[in-house]
Coordinates of all heavy atoms in Angstrom, one line a residue:
M10 N -68.5 -29.1 139.4 CA -68.6 -27.6 139.1 C -67.9 -27.1 138.0 O -68.4 -26.1 137.4 CB -68.2 -27.1 140.5 CG -69.2 -27.0 141.7 SD -70.8 -26.6 141.3 CE -71.6 -28.1 141.8
A11 N -66.7 -27.6 137.8 CA -66.0 -27.1 136.7 C -66.6 -27.1 135.3 O -66.6 -26.1 134.5 CB -64.6 -27.8 136.7
A12 N -67.4 -28.2 135.2 CA -68.0 -28.3 133.9 C -69.2 -27.3 133.7 O -69.5 -26.9 132.7 CB -68.5 -29.9 133.8
L13 N -69.9 -27.2 134.8 CA -71.0 -26.2 134.8 C -70.5 -24.8 134.6 O -71.0 -24.0 133.8 CB -71.7 -26.3 136.2 CG -72.7 -27.3 136.4 CD1 -73.3 -27.4 137.7 CD2 -73.8 -27.2 135.2
L14 N -69.4 -24.4 135.3 CA -68.6 -23.1 135.0 C -68.2 -23.0 133.6 O -68.4 -21.9 133.0 CB -67.6 -22.9 136.0 CG -68.0 -22.6 137.5 CD1 -66.8 -22.7 138.4 CD2 -68.8 -21.3 137.6
D15 N -67.6 -23.9 133.0 CA -67.2 -23.9 131.7 C -68.4 -23.7 130.7 O -68.3 -22.9 129.8 CB -66.3 -25.2 131.2 CG -65.0 -25.3 131.8 OD1 -64.5 -24.2 132.3 OD2 -64.4 -26.4 131.9
S16 N -69.4 -24.4 131.0 CA -70.6 -24.2 130.1 C -71.1 -22.9 130.2 O -71.6 -22.3 129.3 CB -71.7 -25.2 130.5 OG -72.9 -25.1 129.9
A17 N -71.2 -22.3 131.5 CA -71.7 -21.0 131.7 C -70.7 -20.0 131.0 O -71.4 -19.1 130.4 CB -71.7 -20.7 133.1
H18 N -69.5 -20.1 131.1 CA -68.6 -19.2 130.6 C -68.7 -19.1 129.0 O -68.7 -18.1 128.4 CB -67.3 -19.4 131.1 CG -66.8 -19.1 132.5 ND1 -67.3 -18.1 133.1 CD2 -66.1 -19.9 133.3 CE1 -67.0 -18.1 134.4 NE2 -66.1 -19.1 134.5
A31 N -78.5 -19.7 133.8 CA -79.1 -21.1 134.4 C -77.9 -21.8 135.0 O -78.0 -22.5 136.1 CB -79.9 -21.8 133.3
R32 N -76.7 -22.0 134.3 CA -75.7 -22.7 134.7 C -75.0 -22.0 136.0 O -74.6 -22.8 136.9 CB -74.5 -22.8 133.6 CG -74.9 -23.6 132.4 CD -75.4 -25.1 132.5 NE -76.7 -25.3 133.1 CZ -77.9 -25.2 132.3 NH1 -77.8 -24.8 131.0 NH2 -79.0 -25.4 132.8
Y33 N -74.8 -20.8 135.9 CA -74.3 -20.1 137.1 C -75.2 -20.3 138.5 O -74.7 -20.6 139.4 CB -74.2 -18.6 136.9 CG -73.0 -18.2 135.9 CD1 -73.2 -17.4 134.9 CD2 -71.7 -18.7 136.1 CE1 -72.1 -17.0 134.1 CE2 -70.7 -18.4 135.3 CZ -70.9 -17.5 134.3 OH -69.8 -17.1 133.4
L34 N -76.4 -20.4 138.1 CA -77.5 -20.5 139.3 C -77.3 -21.9 139.7 O -77.4 -22.3 141.1 CB -78.8 -20.2 138.9 CG -79.1 -18.7 138.8 CD1 -80.5 -18.4 138.2 CD2 -79.0 -18.0 140.1
E35 N -77.1 -22.9 138.8 CA -76.8 -24.2 139.2 C -75.5 -24.3 140.1 O -75.5 -25.2 141.2 CB -76.7 -25.2 138.1 CG -77.9 -25.7 137.4 CD -77.6 -26.5 136.2 OE1 -77.2 -27.7 136.5 OE2 -77.9 -26.2 135.0
V36 N -74.6 -23.7 139.9 CA -73.2 -23.7 140.6 C -73.8 -23.1 142.0 O -73.2 -23.7 143.0 CB -72.2 -23.0 140.0 CG1 -70.9 -22.8 140.9 CG2 -71.7 -23.7 138.7
L37 N -74.4 -22.0 142.1 CA -74.7 -21.3 143.2 C -75.5 -22.1 144.1 O -75.5 -22.1 145.4 CB -75.3 -20.0 143.2 CG -74.3 -18.9 142.6 CD1 -75.2 -17.5 142.7 CD2 -73.1 -18.8 143.5
A38 N -76.4 -23.1 143.6 CA -77.2 -23.9 144.4 C -76.5 -24.9 145.3 O -76.7 -25.2 146.3 CB -78.2 -24.8 143.5
S39 N -75.2 -25.3 144.7 CA -74.3 -26.1 145.4 C -73.4 -25.5 146.2 O -72.9 -25.9 147.3 CB -73.7 -27.2 144.5 OG -74.5 -27.9 143.7
E40 N -72.8 -24.3 145.7 CA -71.8 -23.5 146.3 C -72.2 -22.1 146.3 O -71.9 -21.2 145.4 CB -70.5 -23.6 145.5 CG -69.9 -25.0 145.5 CD -68.6 -25.1 144.8 OE1 -67.9 -24.1 144.4 OE2 -68.2 -26.1 144.3
P41 N -73.0 -21.6 147.4 CA -73.5 -20.3 147.3 C -72.5 -19.2 147.3 O -72.9 -18.0 147.0 CB -74.3 -20.2 148.6 CG -74.4 -21.7 149.1 CD -73.4 -22.5 148.5
D42 N -71.3 -19.5 147.6 CA -70.3 -18.3 147.7 C -69.2 -18.5 146.5 O -68.2 -18.0 146.7 CB -69.6 -18.3 149.0 CG -70.5 -17.9 150.2 OD1 -71.3 -17.2 149.9 OD2 -70.4 -18.4 151.3
N43 N -69.7 -19.3 145.5 CA -68.7 -19.5 144.4 C -68.3 -18.2 143.6 O -69.3 -17.5 143.0 CB -69.2 -20.6 143.4 CG -68.1 -20.9 142.3 OD1 -67.9 -20.0 141.5 ND2 -67.6 -22.1 142.2
P44 N -67.1 -17.7 143.7 CA -67.0 -16.3 143.2 C -66.9 -16.3 141.7 O -67.4 -15.3 141.1 CB -65.5 -16.0 143.7 CG -64.9 -17.2 144.0 CD -66.0 -18.1 144.4
D45 N -66.8 -17.4 140.9 CA -66.8 -17.3 139.6 C -68.3 -17.3 139.1 O -68.6 -16.4 138.1 CB -66.2 -18.6 139.0 CG -64.7 -18.6 139.1 OD1 -64.0 -17.6 139.1 OD2 -64.2 -19.7 139.5
A46 N -69.3 -18.0 139.8 CA -70.6 -17.9 139.5 C -71.2 -16.5 139.8 O -72.0 -16.0 139.1 CB -71.3 -19.0 140.1

Side-chain angles (χ1 to χ4, degrees):
M10 279 315 122
L13 281 174
L14 286 171
D15 285 344
S16 175
H18 291 322
R32 297 300 77 79
Y33 286 132
L34 288 171
E35 282 183 63
V36 172
L37 286 185
S39 297
E40 297 178 14
D42 295 326
N43 184 293
D45 294 318

